[in-house]
Amino acid sequence: MNTLHLHTTEDDIRTAAQLLQQGRAVGIPTETVYGLAADARDPAAVASIFEAKGRPQDNPLIVHIASMEQLAPLVQEIPPLARKLAKAFWPGPLTMIFRRADTLPASVSAGLPTVAIRMPSHPVARKLILRSGCPLAAPSANTSGRPSPTTAGHVLDDLGGRIAAVVDAGPCSVGVESTVIDVTTQPVRLYRPGAVTVEMLETVAGPVEVSHAVTENLAPGEKALSPGMKYKHYAPRAAVVIIKGTPRAYVDFVNRHAGPGVTALCFEQDAPRLRVPTVCYGSRGNDLSQAQELFDALRELDRIDARTVYAACPHTAGVGLAVYNRLLRAAGFAVRTLPFVIGLTGPTGAGKGEVARRLAEQGCRHVDTDRLAHQATEPGSPCLQELAQAFSPQILRPDGSLDRAGLAERAFRTEEGRRTLNAIVHPYVTEQVQNILEQATEPFVVIDAPLLFEAQMHRICDVTVAVLADASERRRRIRERDHLAEEAAALRMQAQPDDEFYLQRADVVLRNDDTLDTLFARTDALLWKWQQEEEDE
Ligand code: TXA
Ligand code: MG
């Protein structure tokens, strides 16, 4: 079959309307996605839609109308609430489920006693419904399982040669399919999120029940209330994993997993920092742009032959819920949650250890970089070999273990020696920290690092915290804790950066000038704030 590529001229609209009247299937633009339309009252026309898409017979279609007069004959009743919702959101990207009248063949709704109806706002869709005089059954015009088409090109890629024509009106403005709600139930139930958001619906209809299937996989054997939600959908050939976490965590994760075929499905803002091929879907914080671009981006992944895709996770407020819902299906519900990383530092004696202990008690994973540095220099380790080469084989004891005092003596003699030591040890420690982050199941991880900034480890943190205290108080604590003389304590303090160093670099400063309880209260308040922020994500 030759598929006509029509445009929006009067002649072409007339041609398309005639084809629809003849019971043929035509790709049509709507504000959401392109639909594959045919006369909803004609069983043969409806059958040809299922045939062209390869659509499972149990997945019902949406019937498109252009006026409220067209609605009445198609449904058994119009609940008053549906009338209110229609008034508020029609024409537009909202589909409502009614009890089906006998004027429609059962096949339109795959044998269900209900039927899904929507009044699109796209002027070309409206024209075609009015000119043909047909209520139009129209699922999205993709091959079943593929991302929905948002351009006529997508329709032709999938269905060229299998349908009579496509009417090309350029890219769709919304980009994700309509919101589907059931108005035969109280409260109104949401089956599929779209550009008419839950928040918008609730202003008219009161509380809306969001079907758990919107964001969760169906349990084995569970019946889908909306059959379309049970199918694997929108999936590119690549394995897609959604990465939940801060933008920093997302970028670090992807860069660490770079490799052949690895691709980032990201927001525009992320792309410059990613070291793998990127496909963008809109910008972070702009749910409308994400909706508009998602399906084309999913198709692009196939075009560039992506194998493993790490997708940045959208926010789920507003239209973001629709974006997340589609992305979840494209990913087969594979979601990976990355921890929020707190970098904790400060000069000796200020109370960093107390804060770390408190955070650990509150459920944060505590990563002690001093301990990791010790582990990195175990006998036979590559780090130890590098140290021996840089300083002297004499820093090794006969049994191959590190003579720490000997190393300290050589390394700390000069600024240069200290720098060399750090340049060798820090990368090993950072690597270990990243391995721990990778395995962490806790939502919060604390990197406890005296040299957080010196080792550049702040770069793998979402927030940095410096614990500071009065010098006299610190001296007292050091003396008490390490049983040092006044002079030795002063020397130890001198070897450390001053408060200004931390004040310039840390995101947050925790002062420890009062009681321990005050320090703990401040620590708890910070953690509480981060937890709230993460929940709002
Ligand atoms: O934006 C849209 O709605 C696009 C454009 C073309 O209008 N159409 C579209 O249709 O997305 P389709 O067939 O791809 O998706 C229809 C969805 C499916 O998830 C289907 O299961 C659900 O609506 N649905 C249709 N009739 C239903 C019914 N009677 N009860 C429950 N769910 C129904
Ligand atoms: Mg579809």
Side-chain angles (χ1 to χ4, degrees):
M1 188 190 306
N2 175 35
T3 301
L4 296 175
H5 188 160
L6 302 173
H7 291 84
T8 54
T9 60
E10 279 303 307
D11 276 357
D12 279 4
I13 298 281
R14 193 178 319 115
T15 305
Q18 278 165 0
L19 287 167
L20 290 166
Q21 281 167 343
Q22 291 158 16
R24 309 289 299 279
V26 175
I28 67 164
T30 83
E31 70 278 22
T32 56
V33 300
Y34 275 74
L36 180 57
D39 186 346
R41 299 159 306 185
D42 176 349
V46 168
S48 75
I49 292 176
F50 281 91
E51 165 79 25
K53 276 183 61 99
R55 182 172 177 106
Q57 294 293 333
D58 65 350
N59 194 0
L61 309 180
I62 295 173
V63 178
H64 296 66
I65 57 174
S67 68
M68 283 307 274
E69 290 72 61
Q70 268 184 311
L71 176 62
L74 305 178
V75 302
Q76 289 187 14
E77 60 187 359
I78 305 174
L81 186 57
R83 233 177 248 289
K84 260 175 85 180
L85 286 163
K87 204 157 180 190
F89 301 114
W90 276 1
L94 175 67
T95 295
M96 290 191 269
I97 293 169
F98 297 87
R99 299 196 330 158
R100 175 169 51 86
D102 292 337
T103 45
L104 288 170
S107 59
V108 165
S109 38
L112 293 175
T114 52
V115 63
I117 309 237
R118 111 169 169 95
M119 190 189 291
S121 64
H122 197 293
V124 174
R126 293 176 62 76
K127 248 188 214 173
L128 288 168
I129 297 166
L130 292 171
R131 297 279 173 87
S132 68
C134 313
L136 295 177
S140 50
N142 51 287
T143 302
S144 204
R146 296 260 293 153
S148 297
T150 53
T151 67
H154 295 163
V155 178
L156 290 169
D157 284 346
D158 279 15
L159 302 177
R162 303 176 63 87
I163 59 175
V166 62
V167 180
D168 188 342
C172 302
S173 59
V174 174
V176 291
E177 310 90 333
S178 61
T179 307
V180 178
I181 58 171
D182 192 340
V183 288
T184 67
T185 62
Q186 276 285 6
V188 167
R189 196 183 276 153
L190 179 91
Y191 289 149
R192 184 175 73 180
V196 173
T197 64
V198 174
E199 295 87 336
M200 289 160 74
L201 289 167
E202 287 188 333
T203 62
V204 176
V208 170
E209 182 188 322
V210 177
S211 164
H212 78 93
V214 165
T215 52
E216 285 165 35
N217 208 348
L218 290 177
E222 184 181 348
K223 191 168 173 285
L225 289 168
S226 179
M229 295 203 295
K230 78 180 174 204
Y231 294 106
K232 184 176 156 95
H233 216 326
Y234 315 118
R237 280 190 297 274
V240 180
V241 183
I242 299 172
I243 307 296
K244 251 186 198 164
T246 61
R248 191 279 318 156
Y250 171 70
V251 169
D252 284 350
F253 177 91
V254 174
N255 285 340
R256 271 177 68 75
H257 290 80
V262 171
T263 304
L265 178 60
C266 63
F267 300 123
E268 278 150 21
Q269 295 95 322
D270 303 327
R273 289 178 297 146
L274 286 163
R275 294 195 292 269
V276 302
T278 58
V279 173
C280 294
Y281 78 103
S283 74
R284 199 179 279 285
N286 183 344
D287 52 359
L288 293 177
S289 71
Q290 293 162 15
Q292 209 169 48
E293 294 175 31
L294 178 66
F295 288 144
D296 185 59
L298 290 173
R299 285 173 180 259
E300 175 71 9
L301 292 170
D302 278 345
R303 287 194 288 268
I304 65 170
D305 208 20
R307 300 290 162 77
T308 305
V309 173
Y310 296 120
C313 188
H315 285 191
T316 55
V319 185
L321 184 62
V323 176
Y324 183 57
N325 167 273
R326 308 308 191 275
L327 192 56
L328 265 178
R329 278 155 181 81
F333 291 88
V335 180
R336 163 116 191 220
T337 305
L338 302 177
F340 183 90
V341 182
I342 304 160
L344 186 64
T345 190
T348 182
K352 173 175 70 63
E354 305 293 351
V355 173
R357 184 162 60 82
R358 182 66 174 187
L359 288 170
E361 276 168 15
Q362 304 284 9
C364 301
R365 170 74 172 269
H366 178 214
V367 181
D368 180 347
T369 56
D370 279 343
R371 169 140 17 115
L372 292 177
H374 254 81
Q375 286 169 1
T377 50
E378 268 164 11
S381 66
C383 177
L384 195 51
Q385 278 166 22
E386 274 191 61
L387 287 173
Q389 216 158 51
F391 291 101
S392 155
Q394 287 171 14
I395 64 167
L396 299 181
R397 297 206 185 87
D399 66 356
S401 68
L402 174 64
D403 171 6
R404 290 185 194 277
L407 173 64
E409 194 179 303
R410 285 164 204 274
F412 294 151
R413 221 170 12 216
T414 62
E415 190 47 39
E416 160 98 36
R418 189 187 293 273
R419 255 204 302 274
T420 306
L421 173 68
N422 287 341
I424 292 173
V425 178
H426 286 162
Y428 286 101
V429 174
T430 303
E431 180 62 24
Q432 279 315 307
V433 170
Q434 286 190 304
N435 288 339
I436 293 170
L437 290 180
E438 193 109 316
Q439 322 269 313
T441 51
E442 298 84 350
F444 288 84
V445 175
V446 183
I447 304 180
D448 177 354
L451 301 180
L452 187 77
F453 295 111
E454 295 88 334
Q456 305 293 320
M457 249 183 274
H458 63 284
R459 293 195 182 154
I460 56 173
C461 298
D462 293 301
V463 69
T464 55
V465 180
V467 185
L468 301 179
D470 262 7
S472 59
E473 185 57 20
R474 283 175 53 210
R475 192 172 315 123
R476 191 187 60 74
R477 287 198 200 114
I478 295 170
R479 289 190 58 185
E480 223 165 70
R481 186 186 65 193
D482 301 339
H483 312 289
L484 292 179
E486 177 83 31
E487 205 177 323
L491 265 178
R492 169 130 8 135
M493 283 173 63
Q494 255 173 35
Q496 304 224 320
D498 54 12
D499 283 3
E500 194 54 31
F501 173 90
Y502 297 102
L503 288 170
Q504 275 174 14
R505 290 168 178 77
D507 299 317
V508 180
V509 169
L510 266 182
R511 294 227 51 115
N512 180 19
D513 297 327
D514 293 301
T515 62
L516 201 54
D517 280 344
T518 310
L519 182 65
F520 286 168
R522 287 179 183 155
T523 304
D524 293 353
L526 268 181
L527 182 59
W528 170 254
K529 187 181 103 177
W530 294 322
Q531 280 165 343
Q532 290 305 308
E533 284 168 7
E534 282 297 275
E535 264 167 39
D536 295 344
E537 277 288 299

